[in-house]
Amino acid sequence: MEIRTAFCPRCGAPSGGDGLCDRCRVAGTRWLECAPRAIHISCPTCGAIRHGQVWTDSEKEREEIAPALALSAVRLHPEVRRPTFQVTVRELSGNRSIAEVEVSGHLFGEQVRDRCTLELVWQKEQCTRCNRIAGSYHEGVVQVRATGRRLTGRELREAEQIANEIESTHQAEGDRLSFISDLRVTRDGLDIVVGSQAIGLGIAQAIAARLGGRYSTHPKLVGEKAGRPIYRVTYLVRLFPYLRGDVVRVQDTDLEVVSVEGHHLRAVDLQTGRTRTVRENEEKRLIGHSSEAIDALVAYIDGDVIGLLDPETGQTLVVSRPGWLNVRAGDQVRALRDGDRLVVLG
Ligand SMILES: [Zn+2]
Ligand SMILES: [Zn+2]
């Protein structure tokens, strides 16, 4: 029996095959390659990062990004097994760092280790969103108005909060151009300037649904781009004239509004405690909102009437006793002032 031993043609060592031994194969292979530089592009205003043409929001600091950026420039031979990397970064200037990448692993069964050095370039470029905001670019305005009255402070706060929530949702979904570029309280209500029609519509719908109202859209042709018409849209949100908690007088009854449903109100009769519907065309007068109620002392109870001590004048006012009201002399009740009357809320 003949034992065939192959020898490496380069170093003469046994090779176990026809060609070079493992060590000479490794020596003849460029298994680690490093690009001379890796470029990172971020927005100086908001910190977003650009990959190709796509901007992504990022909260990461340079120290966190640098190792991955350096490794993005490293190419390994596909036969390298179990590679491990060690990256050391040295700052050169505001827009330059030097990264040293040390790689070890296994190639053709031999342990390998090598290192390379590259430059990290930190470029600044304004992102599409910040660019649009800076240029006052917008695609629409959401105008929030109340019908026949001013917006209350609570409505203003809630409308603003809803708008911000909708913006966060769009941003979180990667729709970066759906931003709010301005939000201002005017004499008439609230104006929300938006970067896209998608967010404009979303805000208008949400405010109308949650605060009670209707919205309408009013597009206006403002120009043309690449043969396509450019519209700017006004989303007009009209909040209903009455609010939940409003106390209104209809004919000779005092009612507290419990819900607003388009053309009519659901309201509690403050005398009987019963709920009824008030149609849009019924004449009504606003007394105030339940949140403005004052505390009044029950001075006495006498059959169907109670004597209430007016905290402002110190005089006792006689009001008819609501059937549902369970009080004793000395108790406090909440009441709304209506001229020289006090309307008992409970
Ligand atoms: Zn060899
Ligand atoms: Zn930006």
Side-chain angles (χ1 to χ4, degrees):
M1 194 170 103
E2 190 189 353
I3 299 174
R4 252 192 88 210
T5 310
F7 295 98
C8 172
R10 182 165 302 163
C11 69
S15 72
D18 290 334
L20 297 171
C21 72
D22 288 340
R23 193 171 299 170
C24 289
R25 279 173 78 198
V26 169
T29 306
R30 258 190 92 186
W31 61 272
L32 170 65
E33 278 183 81
C34 251
R37 63 166 54 89
I39 299 173
H40 180 266
I41 302 172
S42 65
C43 174
T45 313
C46 70
I49 298 172
R50 199 184 98 179
H51 295 282
Q53 290 308 309
V54 179
W55 285 94
T56 316
D57 285 308
S58 168
E59 307 266 302
K60 287 189 179 156
E61 298 292 330
R62 191 191 275 202
E63 300 84 75
E64 291 177 74
I65 300 166
L69 179 64
L71 292 183
S72 72
V74 173
R75 293 277 168 279
L76 293 183
H77 189 282
E79 288 295 318
V80 175
R81 302 283 180 249
R82 286 174 283 135
T84 56
F85 304 91
Q86 179 103 32
V87 183
T88 323
V89 179
R90 189 159 45 86
E91 301 278 329
L92 275 192
S93 65
N95 56 4
R96 289 280 189 285
S97 312
I98 294 290
E100 193 173 73
V101 184
E102 211 178 300
V103 189
S104 47
H106 291 82
L107 178 63
F108 310 135
E110 297 281 312
Q111 181 153 20
V112 290
R113 179 189 297 273
D114 202 353
R115 61 178 60 191
C116 67
T117 303
L118 71 142
E119 194 180 32
L120 305 182
V121 182
W122 305 94
Q123 269 181 20
K124 297 286 184 198
E125 185 182 308
Q126 200 168 46
C127 76
T128 42
R129 177 178 61 198
C130 292
N131 194 23
R132 285 187 168 192
I133 294 173
S136 299
Y137 177 91
H138 64 282
E139 289 192 351
V141 182
V142 181
Q143 296 184 330
V144 187
R145 305 288 184 262
T147 310
R149 61 179 177 86
R150 289 197 163 193
L151 264 74
T152 65
R154 187 180 60 85
E155 286 175 317
L156 284 171
R157 280 193 302 279
E158 286 189 16
E160 190 172 332
Q161 193 187 329
I162 291 168
N164 287 329
E165 279 172 25
I166 300 284
E167 184 189 40
S168 301
T169 308
H170 278 273
Q171 296 294 317
E173 287 168 354
D175 180 8
R176 302 185 77 251
L177 298 182
S178 280
F179 54 80
I180 294 173
S181 63
D182 195 15
L183 203 147
R184 53 178 176 251
V185 177
T186 69
R187 277 173 38 154
D188 305 318
L190 180 68
D191 284 359
I192 306 159
V193 183
V194 290
S196 78
Q197 292 175 17
I199 188 179
L201 185 63
I203 290 174
Q205 285 172 335
I207 291 177
R210 278 160 62 180
L211 295 185
R214 295 191 188 86
Y215 74 91
S216 51
T217 54
H218 308 271
K220 188 180 156 198
L221 189 66
V222 291
E224 211 181 24
K225 194 176 179 187
R228 285 176 52 201
I230 307 284
Y231 289 97
R232 217 163 261 169
V233 183
T234 300
Y235 304 87
L236 179 60
V237 182
R238 281 257 172 233
L239 300 184
F240 294 132
Y242 294 96
L243 301 168
R244 189 188 157 164
D246 271 344
V247 176
V248 293
R249 192 154 172 88
V250 178
Q251 289 166 338
D252 287 332
T253 31
D254 300 312
L255 304 166
E256 181 171 340
V257 176
V258 288
S259 65
V260 183
E261 290 154 17
H263 290 286
H264 59 269
L265 307 172
R266 297 285 295 161
V268 171
D269 184 323
L270 290 171
Q271 193 61 43
T272 65
R274 276 198 284 272
T275 305
R276 56 163 284 198
T277 300
V278 184
R279 289 186 310 279
E280 195 174 35
N281 56 7
E282 275 183 271
E283 201 169 304
K284 32 191 161 336
R285 176 171 65 81
L286 181 68
I287 295 173
H289 191 267
S290 58
S291 62
E292 302 155 357
I294 52 172
D295 287 329
L297 182 75
V298 178
Y300 63 84
I301 298 177
D302 184 7
D304 288 342
V305 299
I306 54 179
L308 277 186
L309 195 66
D310 185 330
E312 236 168 64
T313 64
Q315 289 184 336
T316 304
L317 293 172
V318 179
V319 302
S320 97
R321 178 185 181 177
W324 49 270
L325 186 68
N326 188 15
V327 285
R328 279 183 281 184
D331 286 348
Q332 299 268 5
V333 292
R334 288 168 56 249
L336 262 187
R337 183 177 303 284
D338 180 33
D340 54 6
R341 295 193 314 138
L342 280 177
V343 178
V344 177
L345 304 185

